């Protein structure tokens, strides 16, 4: 429960001995002798940073020095509004270059002072920042990213931490009686629960971003809460009344010396208004408060109050979209689940996730359950299995380990098996290509175990109509749903003229790709260069150094993994997909076609892709066939344009987010 258990937990953490400062945070000293400095502000700012001050000039200077040290990428201005300070704040601050200083003739309090700053602001966005804060890298750009990513964002607020490194606030909760509760207080700031973007009831005005026109449309901070407290909560409720949302943004971290501005005693000074303004707030928003969590709701339930339920997704490792097609697809699925209102947690079976991967999934609203915070799936399920609406197990290796455990520890959850591709089908085709009896036996064993898993699960996802039809004939009672690759359509941005080279997309970690790359190096490139002497094949993906050394030769360039495919795809004549075995839908084909690049592929590669040979794709089965197809494209602009247009159409019709979203809705609703 929130009440005594939550309070007791906070009391325990409050009295844990810890250093005054966290060495991993750069906290500006308050005792530095003053030296004039300059803020890199702009006369045409995108963001206006508004800092109300009433004395405490040492804190204000430390805040401004942190801004100078962590200047954002976006253009900004800084407006300090002096609220009749009793010290020499204005005199000292006037020596800081790049700073706009406004002065109140009389003390207006936080609300009046903040509204004064907003009236003078020139930026499209307002960022209200307390003077007892210090900013860290990405403090402002992270909040802007939330607005860019979430079109329904009305307010974005930072992750607030204490100077000793503990989490101070990760968004706030509001209960039906008007009581507020700051989530995450005194927790470790990098715990997975506080590292993903999520909708919250309100965020603290200590670091709050809002569009200037929206702020003005609601009349700014409501003066009925003057001089301070509950004005940020009130503003959040005004956003929801406009159909907008309030987001907690963990990629923006701000150090907050809470209590410096107003103290901590609820019965004296500024803090006493926190008690009286709760009644004002409750009266104003009486109707809206009826939909808030009732008093006594557990914190875990209240944190996910605005979500439809909780879904756990498990894969062998954390997805990294530049690494492989499966990662790209899973990342898109996670994004769709968040968009459909689910609280999504992802657990990598190998336990590993880098800070960049946690941050990237956090931007999608996904909590990453990895070491050292989560040891493994069995332990986590024992604690949280009862909370789950559904569990998605990706790949037969993961599902084979955990399907029975999920049934036991999360009996109310729907069990969904995402095959990614049918493993036994890929093994069977590899065995046929190699003629290996042992590989054939392994394929048969995989078939047996994979079909048993499908029978055990409530729903199985496959990526191609071919696999859906195959399983329907094998297991007519099983529920098989098509959840194919998911791609954005980037479009053909450059004309046919000047395109010459070819591209292969795929890393060496996938057996069909290993075979394809070797085939390209030993047979296809020589055949290509016999017809097109200057042609080069660019291989994009992770390739081991030993393989690079062995396969390198004229006409073959190993590009490695690239953060952005566009520079390569926008000048490519065609993409090659010379796969001689495999299963599922081929992301390399989808990706090339999403840029309007024609594809030359084998029959195996186009299986299940819903492509028409000669109209949507060129099909070749041997090196001379690939060379002949490339030569046709190099000399036939009309053919190239037809394949480019039809490829884009194919991705849009069969591999866009719309179809995947419909499948997920049908299965989970």
């Amino acid at each position: 429960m929130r009440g005594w258990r939550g309070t007791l937990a906070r009391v325990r953490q409050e009295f844990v001995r810890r250093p005054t400062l966290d060495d991993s945070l750069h906290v500006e000293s308050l005792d530095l002798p003053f030296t004039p400095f300059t803020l890199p502000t702009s006369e045409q700012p995108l963001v206006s940073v508004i800092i109300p001050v009433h004395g405490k000039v040492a804190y204000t200077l430390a805040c401004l020095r942190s801004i100078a040290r962590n200047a954002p990428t976006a253009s900004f201005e800084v407006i300090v509004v002096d609220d009749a300070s009793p010290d020499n704040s204005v005199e000292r601050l006037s020596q800081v270059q790049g700073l706009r200083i406004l002065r109140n003739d009389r003390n207006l309090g936080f609300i009046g002072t903040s509204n004064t700053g907003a009236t003078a602001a020139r930026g499209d966005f307002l960022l209200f920042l307390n003077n007892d804060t210090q900013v860290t890298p990405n403090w402002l750009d992270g909040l802007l990213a939330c607005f860019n990513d979430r079109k329904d964002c009305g307010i974005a607020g930072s992750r607030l931490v204490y100077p000793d490194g503990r989490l101070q606030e990760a968004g706030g909760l509001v209960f039906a009686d008007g009581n507020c509760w700051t989530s995450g207080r005194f927790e470790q700031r990098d715990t997975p629960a506080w590292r993903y973007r999520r909708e919250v009831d309100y965020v603290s005005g200590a670091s709050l971003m809002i569009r200037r026109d929206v702020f003005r449309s609601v009349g700014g901070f409501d003066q009925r809460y003057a001089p301070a407290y509950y004005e940020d909560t009130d503003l959040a409720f005004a956003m929801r009344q406009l159909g907008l949302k309030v987001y907690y943004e963990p990629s923006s971290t701000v150090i907050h010396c809470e209590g410096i501005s107003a103290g901590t005693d609820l019965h004296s000074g500024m803090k006493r208004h926190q008690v009286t303004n709760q009644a004002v707030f409750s009266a104003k928003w009486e109707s809206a408060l009826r939909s808030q969590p009732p008093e006594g709701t557990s914190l875990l339930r209240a944190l996910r109050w605005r979500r439809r339920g909780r879904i756990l997704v498990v894969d062998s490792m954390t997805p990294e979209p530049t690494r492989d097609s499966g990662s790209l697809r899973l990342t898109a699925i996670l994004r769709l689940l968040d968009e459909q209102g689910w609280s999504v947690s992802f657990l990598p079976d190998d336990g590993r996730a880098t800070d960049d991967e946690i941050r990237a999934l956090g931007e999608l609203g996904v909590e990453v359950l990895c070491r050292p915070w989560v040891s493994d799936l069995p332990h986590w399920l024992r604690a949280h299995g009862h909370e789950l609406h559904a569990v998605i197990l990706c790949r037969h290796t993961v599902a084979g380990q955990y399907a029975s455990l999920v049934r036991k520890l999360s009996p109310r959850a729907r069990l969904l098996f995402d095959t990614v591709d049918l493993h036994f089908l890929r093994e069977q085709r590899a065995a046929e290509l190699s003629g290996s009896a042992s590989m054939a036996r392994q394929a048969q064993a995989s078939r047996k175990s994979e079909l048993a898993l499908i029978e055990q699960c409530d729903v199985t996802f496959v990526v191609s109509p071919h696999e859906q039809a195959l399983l329907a004939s094998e297991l007519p009672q099983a529920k098989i749903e098509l959840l194919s690759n998911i791609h954005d359509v980037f479009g053909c941005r450059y004309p046919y003229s000047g395109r010459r080279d070819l591209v292969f997309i795929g890393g060496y970690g996938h057996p069909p790709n290993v075979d394809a790359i070797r085939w390209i190096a030993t047979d296809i490139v020589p055949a290509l260069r016999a017809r097109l002497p200057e042609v080069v094949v660019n291989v994009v993906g992770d390739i081991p150094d030993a393989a690079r050394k062995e396969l390198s030769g004229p006409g073959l360039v190993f590009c490695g993994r690239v953060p952005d495919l566009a520079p390569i795809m926008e000048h490519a004549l065609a993409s090659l997909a010379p796969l001689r075995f495999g299963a599922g839908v081929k992301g390399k084909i989808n990706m090339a076609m999403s840029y309007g690049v024609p594809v030359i592929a084998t029959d195996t590669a186009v299986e299940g892709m819903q492509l028409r040979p000669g109209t949507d794709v060129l099909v070749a089965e041997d090196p001379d066939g690939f060379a002949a197809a490339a030569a046709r494209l190099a000399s036939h602009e009309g053919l190239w344009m037809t394949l480019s247009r039809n490829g884009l159409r194919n991705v849009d019709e069969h591999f866009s987010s719309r179809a995947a979203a419909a499948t997920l809705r049908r299965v989970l609703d």
Side-chain angles (χ1 to χ4, degrees):
M1 303 291 288
R2 177 171 68 96
W4 66 268
R5 287 191 180 93
T7 302
L8 182 59
R10 286 194 174 179
V11 168
R12 286 172 180 161
Q13 290 170 314
E14 177 67 9
F15 287 98
V16 171
R17 293 180 61 84
R18 60 185 68 245
T20 305
L21 298 177
D22 183 337
D23 291 339
S24 66
L25 297 172
H26 187 134
V27 181
E28 295 281 348
S29 171
L30 301 177
D31 301 325
L32 286 178
F34 177 74
T35 303
F37 59 94
T38 300
L39 295 172
T41 52
S42 170
E43 291 297 314
Q44 296 180 311
L46 176 63
V47 181
S48 296
V49 180
I50 299 167
I51 306 176
V53 304
H54 180 71
K56 307 291 185 183
V57 67
Y59 285 92
T60 306
L61 288 169
C63 175
L64 295 174
R65 284 197 299 270
S66 75
I67 293 175
R69 189 179 68 252
N70 298 296
T73 301
S75 61
F76 72 106
E77 65 175 349
V78 178
I79 303 171
V80 165
V81 187
D82 182 78
D83 194 23
S85 290
D87 60 7
N88 65 341
S89 287
V90 172
E91 176 188 346
R92 187 57 54 87
L93 294 173
S94 65
Q95 300 178 61
V96 178
Q97 297 298 309
L99 181 65
R100 294 179 62 193
I101 303 175
L102 306 178
R103 299 188 67 179
N104 294 337
D105 294 333
R106 58 185 178 83
N107 186 275
L108 300 179
F110 177 84
I111 291 175
T113 302
S114 295
N115 287 342
T116 296
T119 300
R122 298 174 294 191
D124 293 336
F125 292 87
L126 309 177
L127 200 172
F128 295 98
L129 192 68
N130 276 15
N131 73 320
D132 57 355
T133 62
Q134 295 187 28
V135 303
T136 68
N138 202 53
W139 62 286
L140 185 149
D141 294 319
L143 295 175
L144 274 179
C146 187
F147 279 90
N148 290 334
D149 295 345
R150 307 288 174 125
K151 301 310 176 187
D152 59 0
C153 181
I155 290 175
S158 302
R159 174 174 63 168
L160 302 180
V161 301
Y162 290 104
D164 64 13
R166 289 177 301 169
L167 183 63
Q168 181 183 118
E169 182 178 322
L173 303 172
V174 179
F175 292 84
D177 61 353
N179 243 315
C180 297
W181 189 265
T182 53
S183 60
R185 178 156 295 195
F186 305 136
E187 299 280 352
Q188 296 180 39
R189 69 178 183 274
D190 285 335
T191 300
W194 316 117
R195 296 186 69 178
Y196 65 98
R197 180 185 292 161
R198 58 190 171 83
E199 186 186 357
V200 294
D201 291 335
Y202 74 96
V203 295
S204 168
S207 179
L208 179 157
M209 181 179 281
I210 186 172
R211 293 185 189 274
R212 182 183 60 174
D213 58 351
V214 173
F215 185 76
R216 290 179 177 177
S217 74
V218 298
F221 288 120
D222 192 334
Q223 290 285 357
R224 77 185 74 187
Y225 300 101
Y229 290 107
Y230 267 87
E231 73 286 338
D232 45 15
T233 313
D234 176 88
L235 189 64
F237 272 60
M239 291 303 99
R240 278 187 288 278
Q241 194 172 56
L242 294 176
L244 299 172
K245 294 180 179 179
V246 179
Y247 286 98
Y248 159 67
E249 179 51 61
S251 72
S252 169
T253 298
V254 170
I255 304 162
H256 185 210
C257 304
E258 185 185 50
I260 296 302
S261 305
T264 57
D265 186 351
L266 291 174
H267 303 290
S268 65
M270 285 286 291
K271 272 284 185 177
R272 73 184 188 278
H273 298 288
Q274 189 169 334
V275 176
T276 57
N277 280 351
Q278 179 183 337
V280 176
F281 172 79
S282 296
K284 178 179 178 180
W285 296 104
E286 180 182 4
S287 176
L289 284 170
R290 295 191 192 109
S291 63
Q292 293 299 116
E295 174 69 13
T297 302
S298 72
L299 290 177
L300 284 176
R301 179 72 185 95
L303 283 168
R304 295 183 170 85
W305 190 256
R306 298 186 181 281
R307 301 273 88 184
R308 298 173 60 193
R310 192 172 189 184
I311 293 177
L312 173 68
V313 181
V314 186
D315 200 355
S316 55
M317 62 180 69
T318 302
E320 210 298 293
T322 66
R323 182 182 62 224
D324 57 69
S325 173
S327 288
L328 189 68
R329 173 177 172 271
L330 179 56
T331 300
I333 290 171
L334 294 172
R335 175 177 54 80
L336 289 172
L337 290 172
D338 174 75
E339 288 176 359
Q340 292 182 9
W342 299 103
S343 176
V344 186
S345 298
F346 173 80
L347 188 147
D349 190 39
D350 65 3
R352 296 196 293 264
T354 67
D355 278 343
D356 286 344
E357 289 168 344
I358 294 172
R359 187 179 304 111
L361 290 185
E363 289 173 359
L364 301 179
V366 177
E367 175 185 13
V368 180
L369 307 173
C370 61
R371 299 192 187 107
W373 301 281
V374 175
S375 59
D376 55 34
L377 179 59
H379 282 88
W380 189 88
L381 279 176
R382 288 186 185 97
H384 301 282
H386 64 283
E387 303 169 14
L388 298 173
H389 175 83
V391 178
I392 302 177
L393 301 177
C394 304
R395 305 175 204 275
H396 83 287
T397 51
V398 170
Q401 289 184 77
Y402 300 122
S404 297
L405 187 71
V406 170
R407 285 295 195 206
K408 177 181 178 182
L409 299 179
S410 190
R412 292 184 296 176
R414 300 210 76 193
L415 180 54
L416 313 177
F417 174 28
D418 182 14
T419 62
V420 183
D421 62 26
L422 286 178
H423 189 72
F424 77 82
L425 188 57
R426 174 157 42 89
E427 287 187 339
Q428 179 181 307
R429 288 171 173 172
E432 291 169 355
L433 181 66
S434 67
S436 168
S438 63
M439 290 179 67
R441 287 193 296 272
Q442 175 59 46
Q444 188 60 28
S446 294
R447 177 182 177 278
K448 182 178 179 180
S449 64
E450 208 161 358
L451 293 180
L453 269 173
I454 292 168
E455 287 188 298
Q456 186 179 357
C457 296
D458 295 313
V459 178
T460 295
F461 295 130
V462 294
V463 295
S464 76
H466 173 78
E467 292 181 350
Q468 189 176 31
L470 187 154
L471 291 179
S473 65
E474 294 270 2
L475 300 170
Q477 302 305 314
K479 186 172 178 58
I480 312 298
E481 290 280 356
L482 182 63
L483 184 59
S484 200
N485 283 6
I486 306 165
H487 291 268
D488 294 325
V489 179
F490 300 103
C492 185
R493 302 173 185 173
Y494 286 81
Y496 169 81
S497 176
R499 292 177 180 260
R500 185 186 68 179
D501 293 337
L502 308 175
V503 63
F504 174 85
I505 307 168
Y508 219 66
H510 189 48
N513 286 345
V514 174
D515 178 74
I517 293 169
R518 287 187 169 276
W519 196 26
I520 289 170
T522 57
D523 298 322
I524 295 176
V525 165
L528 286 167
R529 288 174 73 87
R531 290 177 180 256
L532 303 168
E534 302 300 319
V535 77
V536 169
V537 178
N538 294 297
V539 177
V540 180
D542 290 326
I543 309 291
D545 290 340
R548 284 174 181 253
K549 185 176 180 180
E550 176 191 353
L551 300 175
S552 289
L556 192 62
V557 175
F558 293 108
C559 303
R561 193 191 306 185
V562 298
D564 183 7
L565 276 172
I568 294 175
M569 303 307 292
E570 288 170 349
H571 300 286
L573 176 69
S575 181
L576 304 180
L579 302 180
R580 295 190 285 188
F581 65 95
V585 169
K586 313 309 180 296
K588 55 176 55 59
I589 293 178
N590 292 141
M591 184 58 72
M593 289 184 171
S594 72
Y595 285 96
V597 176
V599 174
I600 308 169
T602 59
D603 272 325
T604 296
V606 300
E607 178 187 83
M609 300 293 294
Q610 305 183 66
L611 295 167
R612 299 164 295 173
T615 303
D616 304 325
V617 65
L618 297 182
V619 175
E621 295 299 334
D622 55 42
D624 285 339
F626 277 91
R632 285 180 66 198
L633 289 173
S635 61
H636 197 321
E637 182 176 357
L639 174 63
W640 192 94
M641 292 296 296
T642 296
L643 293 172
S644 176
R645 284 193 302 268
N646 290 343
L648 287 167
R649 175 197 50 75
N650 179 267
V651 175
D652 184 59
E653 286 185 7
H654 302 295
F655 303 103
S656 65
S657 295
R658 294 190 305 276
T663 297
L664 291 170
R665 233 179 256 113
R666 186 167 57 250
V667 168
L668 293 169
D669 283 358

